[in-house]
């Protein structure tokens, strides 16, 4: 977006900072092989995003905060459990339960104790138990990595806000098939629904959590 547009939004009160809370969790959205393999219908080259997500995972584990992965997986042979969405996106047929495409990208090194939440639609909250998991741990801040920025990342960030969490979208750790869609989504999320933060900022926050310091921005 142009600096003129930035100023217009800022002058009208958009893009105010939510700030981090005290009890974060990290959600890694749909960095599964069906999305990280650019040769597949739904895939893109997310090599940089995977690298930055690994840094976030290491910091989250060091801080002892909850880590959740999401995947999209369908059980019905005719994709009936994808509903109307299957009519819009033919590539969903590659995301069948039990296929390698729905497994977390192995380069992330997911640990056995880190849950993988299966969903059917864009938001990590819709039709899943993520909300109850976070509430049971009194989480107040959701660090968001994954793909795609314009789809499941955006939907999750909006639902996080609507459910009372502080959504922190880590800029370098989210990606999209379309750079234009990625850029526009980050602009709009930061303007209205989330804080878009740099990875170094997020790592500094997690370092503070690990050291027992009060989180900045509370």
């Amino acid at each position: 977006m142009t600096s003129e547009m930035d100023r217009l939004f800022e002058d009208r009160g958009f893009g105010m900072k939510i700030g981090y809370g005290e009890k974060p969790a990290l959600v890694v959205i749909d960095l599964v092989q069906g999305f990280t393999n650019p040769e597949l219908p739904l895939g893109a080259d997310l090599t940089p995003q995977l690298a930055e997500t690994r840094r976030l995972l290491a910091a989250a584990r060091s801080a002892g905060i909850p880590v959740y992965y999401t995947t999209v997986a369908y059980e019905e042979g005719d994709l009936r459990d994808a509903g109307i969405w299957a009519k819009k996106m033919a590539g969903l047929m590659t995301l069948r339960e039990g296929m390698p495409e729905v497994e977390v990208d192995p380069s992330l090194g997911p640990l056995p104790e880190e849950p993988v939440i299966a969903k059917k639609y864009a938001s990590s909250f819709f039709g899943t138990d993520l909300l109850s998991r976070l509430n049971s741990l009194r989480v107040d801040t959701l660090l968001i990595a994954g793909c795609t920025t314009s789809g499941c990342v955006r939907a999750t960030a909006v639902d996080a806000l609507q459910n009372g969490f502080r959504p922190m979208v880590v800029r370098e750790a989210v990606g999209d098939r379309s750079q234009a869609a990625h850029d526009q989504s980050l602009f709009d999320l930061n303007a209205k629904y989330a804080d878009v933060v740099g990875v170094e900022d997020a790592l500094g926050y997690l370092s503070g959590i690990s050291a027992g310091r009060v989180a900045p921005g509370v």
Side-chain angles (χ1 to χ4, degrees):
M1 303 296 288
T2 65
S3 58
E4 181 180 352
M5 184 64 71
D6 288 335
R7 287 195 297 273
L8 175 64
F9 271 64
E10 184 177 350
D11 290 345
R12 296 188 178 185
F14 289 87
M16 298 177 69
K17 292 299 180 186
I18 298 170
Y20 296 99
E22 296 180 320
K23 296 204 68 175
L26 171 63
V27 60
V28 179
I29 301 172
D30 296 356
L31 286 180
V32 297
Q33 295 180 63
F35 289 96
T36 60
N37 183 347
E39 296 182 3
L40 294 176
L42 297 174
D45 182 5
L46 298 173
T47 303
Q49 289 79 10
L50 287 165
E52 298 300 341
T53 299
R54 285 194 292 272
R55 297 178 69 199
L56 288 172
L57 284 165
R61 291 162 181 162
S62 178
I65 73 166
V67 172
Y68 301 97
Y69 302 87
T70 71
T71 184
V72 181
Y74 299 106
E75 306 159 53
E76 302 285 346
D78 58 1
L79 261 62
R80 189 177 307 171
D81 48 338
I84 300 299
W85 204 13
K87 297 182 180 296
K88 190 68 177 177
M89 288 182 59
L92 294 180
M93 69 179 61
T94 64
L95 302 176
R96 298 184 185 276
E97 190 175 70
M99 296 175 63
E101 285 83 353
V102 304
E103 296 177 2
V104 175
D105 192 293
S107 72
L108 295 179
L111 301 180
E113 63 269 25
E114 294 170 344
V116 180
I117 297 174
K119 58 190 179 73
K120 308 291 185 182
Y121 294 95
S123 172
S124 301
F125 289 92
F126 187 82
T128 76
D129 65 350
L130 179 60
L131 177 59
S132 60
R133 287 175 182 260
L134 297 175
N135 282 340
S136 69
L137 297 175
R138 299 186 179 180
V139 167
D140 62 11
T141 300
L142 205 61
L143 295 169
I144 298 173
C147 65
T148 59
T149 315
S150 61
C152 298
V153 167
R154 177 186 171 86
T156 298
V158 172
D159 273 0
L161 180 80
Q162 292 173 156
N163 280 296
F165 300 102
R166 298 167 181 251
M168 303 288 151
V169 177
V170 184
R171 182 184 295 106
E172 296 90 342
V174 295
D176 203 294
R177 303 172 199 91
S178 163
Q179 188 64 42
H182 171 80
D183 292 340
Q184 173 59 37
S185 296
L186 287 183
F187 178 88
D188 197 56
L189 282 168
N190 194 61
K192 296 184 287 188
Y193 303 111
D195 286 358
V196 176
V197 299
V199 68
E200 297 299 336
D201 189 69
L203 291 172
Y205 165 67
L206 290 173
S207 177
I209 294 291
S210 182
R213 297 194 298 269
V214 175
V218 176

